[in-house]
Amino acid sequence: MVVALTISLSLLGPYTNTTVAQEVVLKLGMPDQIDNFNPLIGLFAAAGYIRGMLYDTLLYISANGTYIPWLAESYSVDSEKLLLRFRIRPGAYWHDGRPITASDVEFTFNLVVASNYSDKLDKWGLRKYIEYVKAIDDRTVEFKLKEPYAPALFYIGALIPPLPKHIWSEVDPTTFKNMDNPVGSGPFKFLKYTPGVSIELVANENYYRGRPKNDRLVVVLYKSTDALMLDLQAGNIDAITATTVAPELVPVLLRDPNIRIVELTYTASLRFIGFNNDRYPFSIREFREAIAYAIDKEAIVRIVMLGYGYPAADGWVQPLFGTWYNPSVGYRRQNLTKAAEILDKLGFVDRDGDGIRETPNGTVLRFKILTISGLAEFERSAELVAGWLKRIGIDASIEAQALGTVDQREGVGDFDIGFMGIGMSITTDLDYYLYERFHSSQAYPLGTYAGRNWFRYRNPELDILLELQRSTLDPERRREIIWKIQEIVARDIPALTIYMKTALVAYRTERFTGWVESEGPTSKISILNLSPRKPEVVTIITQVPVVTTVPVTQVREVTQVVGGTTVIMTQTEVRVGTLTVSETPPQPRGISTETLTLLAVLLVVFIGAIAFLATKRR
């Protein structure tokens, strides 16, 4: 007897192994303070972070102040011949695939010191010190100085990044915002900028130091630091950058075991008020000093900063800088009586008894403190300052505006008092914090934009010292000059330092590993060191049935009574048919195809046995 037997076994269904690489996305949060992506004219620190990821400098300064060869594989300094040479790394390319050459470096620095744009671009006064820049060959560039220049290695090697000549030779570098498709040399390439939302960068596949382990770097922009911190708590971003943790949030964030807060010891933020020295009565040194005595720096550190900071020294340079700080230059402690006495001597008295003083010509002492909106620390500090000024008869109110508006108004001199802040780091040569900020050449007339010396402070005595410290190579002698600079700034108070804010940064630990806290969690070195904690590759198993027909032969013995007699007959029955199955390759850690086929045969035998027993019962 022949029986056709068809069985479909889903357990034998085949699978295909499809490997899909998940995109590794690192998300950082920072304030929405974007001016441009032009390294030569950019001012805002937040945008500067993006510029730093897009463009590399010849050297990189680590957190301990060490110069590390970066885009340049090596460098040399000949102090006697006044020569600096840099050797470009082999295999270094611009983001558009063009090789980076010494000619690009030569072109970039000549834009600053020897072009029709130098008057606007050379805000550091490099023309006075650089005689020439010359490409010796494709990979070697030489700088010849006119005279000794102490901060040369900082400005040339670590501050100004080389730019691609084939792009920048076609634009006006003084107005080019470089925001559509910036082509740089850094570890990440530009993908998209959505104003007010985010900046997206992708890994540079041909980066000469090795491709970043993160496929995409998304920098989310925030109008307020409160919203930024909430997103950090919610896990919507991995870390914060270009800003610091508000002191009151420290215990809140630390409740989350996946959040780490790091205090950076090599950097801090200086908060200060700048006076418009070209506007009466702020043009009077004694008037500025009266305001200095009215302010309680210690109270701001206690009330606003909750102790995460310290009162700032009046000489601009802070204890952060070690031996470069003049310990004899402290700060004026609050003395309301002394402040009032100074105003009285100036003839600024309350003539009508309303509690507000007037100038000798009868003008009411009523001013506005211009500061940045959306930053609670700034607004709260400015409010405290305004309160103390009212106690000495000056009517001050707060005017909070977007950073771009504040920067523009201060730059052209459209303000009375500006409450602002800057980051300070021991990785930066002190000349960077002093020359642009206080040299008379940087104090442009009212109406003309001044990027750093927006106080409009001019002092020929200080100018001489600012220039002298630049040309002094002996560290001890240079330190003495910088100490003297601090004394003059503290005496004249063109701007009043308020406090140094401790640099507290935060990041989440569950998605990435390799954060380099000593350099700063979002520093370039740290970002390049990060790796995702979760697997980058996931295996997707898809069932795809494949029908296969195989021959099956079943053998069994059947015993039965014949013809109602007592004769018992035993015969062998052979059943031949086909088995239709759905086959799959073996699944990982599953049952092999051979084993499943054997099980299928055993199943056929089992069904036959059941049929036999049923027949016997009849």
Side-chain angles (χ1 to χ4, degrees):
M1 181 173 61
V2 177
V3 178
L5 182 63
T6 302
I7 302 176
S8 176
L9 299 176
S10 62
L11 287 177
L12 292 173
Y15 76 94
T16 59
N17 190 337
T18 304
T19 300
V20 179
Q22 288 184 322
E23 185 181 38
V24 179
V25 181
L26 174 66
K27 289 187 177 182
L28 306 179
M30 77 177 187
D32 181 18
Q33 298 172 359
I34 306 299
D35 50 353
N36 58 66
F37 300 142
N38 181 337
L40 297 180
I41 64 172
L43 289 174
F44 295 176
Y49 181 80
I50 303 299
R51 292 189 289 266
M53 288 297 169
L54 293 173
Y55 295 92
D56 278 351
T57 47
L58 296 169
L59 307 176
Y60 182 93
I61 306 179
S62 67
N64 63 9
T66 302
Y67 284 82
I68 302 173
W70 203 258
L71 180 55
E73 66 175 354
S74 63
Y75 70 96
S76 63
V77 178
D78 188 329
S79 300
E80 292 185 1
K81 295 182 179 180
L82 302 177
L83 289 176
L84 291 84
R85 280 194 174 187
F86 299 86
R87 182 78 171 162
I88 306 299
R89 289 185 184 275
Y93 295 91
W94 297 111
H95 292 161
D96 60 6
R98 301 274 288 267
I100 301 174
T101 69
S103 294
D104 293 308
V105 182
E106 177 188 71
F107 166 79
T108 301
F109 282 88
N110 277 331
L111 269 182
V112 176
V113 302
S115 75
N116 295 331
Y117 307 107
S118 295
D119 285 343
K120 292 183 178 179
L121 294 180
D122 187 21
K123 51 193 174 183
W124 308 285
L126 301 181
R127 285 173 293 178
K128 179 179 178 181
Y129 302 95
I130 298 179
E131 182 175 325
Y132 68 75
V133 186
K134 181 170 60 178
I136 304 301
D137 55 42
D138 283 348
R139 292 176 50 207
T140 307
V141 61
E142 180 179 273
F143 292 79
K144 178 69 166 67
L145 302 181
K146 298 177 183 178
E147 59 182 90
Y149 185 44
L153 195 59
F154 169 74
Y155 284 113
I156 295 172
L159 181 67
I160 304 173
L163 303 172
K165 178 180 178 180
H166 61 281
I167 293 176
W168 288 75
S169 60
E170 304 295 326
V171 302
D172 180 345
T174 65
T175 58
F176 182 46
K177 291 195 171 183
N178 194 32
M179 303 182 80
D180 294 330
N181 183 32
V183 174
S185 55
F188 289 91
K189 300 165 64 174
F190 180 81
L191 179 63
K192 182 171 62 174
Y193 168 46
T194 305
V197 178
S198 65
I199 300 166
E200 298 182 46
L201 310 177
V202 294
N204 180 1
E205 299 286 346
N206 299 317
Y207 191 47
Y208 57 90
R209 302 186 69 89
R211 180 194 187 279
K213 301 179 184 70
N214 305 309
D215 301 312
R216 193 153 51 101
L217 176 62
V218 177
V219 180
V220 184
L221 304 174
Y222 293 87
K223 297 295 184 185
S224 74
T225 52
D226 289 342
L228 188 156
M229 295 302 170
L230 285 173
D231 262 6
L232 178 68
Q233 286 181 274
N236 296 327
I237 55 177
D238 299 297
I240 64 173
T241 191
T243 188
T244 54
V245 177
E248 64 271 16
L249 289 179
V250 171
V252 177
L253 294 179
L254 288 179
R255 293 173 192 160
D256 188 334
N258 292 318
I259 292 180
R260 276 188 60 81
I261 297 179
V262 180
E263 178 182 346
L264 304 180
T265 58
Y266 65 89
T267 184
S269 297
L270 173 64
R271 302 308 189 222
F272 62 95
I273 58 175
F275 302 110
N276 190 336
N277 286 247
D278 273 354
R279 180 176 290 183
Y280 179 83
F282 301 102
S283 55
I284 304 172
R285 191 202 70 81
E286 291 81 5
F287 181 73
R288 302 194 297 268
E289 186 171 41
I291 292 178
Y293 277 116
I295 295 173
D296 190 341
K297 297 183 180 184
E298 296 169 355
I300 294 182
V301 171
R302 185 176 64 254
I303 296 170
V304 179
M305 301 313 301
L306 302 180
Y308 288 98
Y310 56 88
D314 288 343
W316 200 259
V317 177
Q318 302 301 319
L320 173 73
F321 293 97
T323 58
W324 295 99
Y325 163 66
N326 185 343
S328 67
V329 178
Y331 62 91
R332 295 168 175 83
R333 285 176 167 79
Q334 186 183 54
N335 189 329
L336 298 177
T337 300
K338 191 166 186 176
E341 290 175 353
I342 293 174
L343 294 176
D344 289 341
K345 289 180 181 179
L346 291 174
F348 296 160
V349 296
D350 179 14
R351 292 178 173 82
D352 56 12
D354 65 352
I356 306 300
R357 296 173 183 264
E358 292 87 31
T359 66
N361 65 6
T363 303
V364 177
L365 288 181
R366 179 173 289 120
F367 309 110
K368 290 185 178 181
I369 301 175
L370 181 64
T371 193
I372 307 169
S373 61
L375 300 180
E377 173 202 341
F378 279 59
E379 294 185 22
R380 180 62 179 137
S381 297
E383 288 170 357
L384 289 174
V385 170
W388 288 317
L389 292 183
K390 286 182 180 179
R391 292 178 64 181
I392 62 170
I394 298 175
D395 185 13
S397 59
I398 310 304
E399 184 178 8
Q401 300 285 343
L403 175 61
T405 301
V406 174
D407 175 74
Q408 179 62 26
R409 287 184 54 184
E410 289 175 342
V412 298
D414 181 21
F415 74 101
D416 299 316
I417 300 173
F419 190 100
M420 291 291 281
I422 60 169
M424 284 187 163
S425 170
I426 64 171
T427 64
T428 303
D429 191 285
L430 274 172
D431 181 80
Y432 179 78
Y433 298 121
L434 296 172
Y435 184 87
E436 277 189 87
R437 192 69 64 175
F438 299 109
H439 197 277
S440 298
S441 65
Q442 307 299 305
Y444 303 125
L446 290 176
T448 302
Y449 183 83
R452 292 284 192 269
N453 191 354
W454 45 268
F455 323 134
R456 268 76 184 177
Y457 173 65
R458 303 173 186 87
N459 183 334
E461 177 191 9
L462 192 68
D463 289 347
I464 292 173
L465 293 174
L466 288 169
E467 293 165 7
L468 184 59
Q469 62 85 23
R470 287 184 144 197
S471 60
T472 303
L473 299 183
D474 177 53
E476 283 302 312
R477 175 58 183 147
R478 190 182 183 213
R479 180 181 59 80
E480 292 174 2
I481 298 169
I482 290 179
W483 277 26
K484 182 62 176 177
I485 290 172
Q486 295 171 58
E487 293 171 3
I488 295 175
V489 172
R491 179 195 69 198
D492 290 355
I493 326 174
L496 178 65
T497 57
I498 305 296
Y499 60 92
M500 288 290 282
K501 177 184 179 182
T502 303
L504 299 174
V505 294
Y507 67 92
R508 300 192 66 89
T509 61
E510 69 267 42
R511 294 188 62 240
F512 293 92
T513 184
W515 302 91
V516 183
E517 294 185 351
S518 61
E519 290 290 329
T522 60
S523 66
K524 185 177 290 187
I525 286 180
S526 182
I527 296 300
L528 289 174
N529 195 59
L530 290 183
S531 297
R533 284 190 181 277
K534 295 182 179 180
E536 296 184 50
V537 177
V538 61
T539 299
I540 300 175
I541 298 177
T542 305
Q543 298 290 337
V544 180
V546 177
V547 177
T548 303
T549 301
V550 297
V552 176
T553 300
Q554 178 188 359
V555 180
R556 68 171 181 164
E557 290 185 344
V558 179
T559 301
Q560 58 181 337
V561 177
V562 180
T565 67
T566 58
V567 179
I568 298 176
M569 180 184 293
T570 299
Q571 66 180 30
T572 299
E573 178 179 320
V574 179
R575 296 188 177 191
V576 180
T578 59
L579 177 65
T580 302
V581 298
S582 296
E583 295 181 345
T584 66
Q587 299 185 28
R589 290 193 288 270
I591 303 174
S592 67
T593 301
E594 292 80 1
T595 302
L596 290 173
T597 302
L598 178 60
L599 289 174
V601 173
L602 292 175
L603 180 61
V604 172
V605 174
F606 177 71
I607 293 173
I610 293 176
F612 165 72
L613 293 175
T615 303
K616 186 175 180 181
R617 289 192 183 96
R618 293 193 189 98

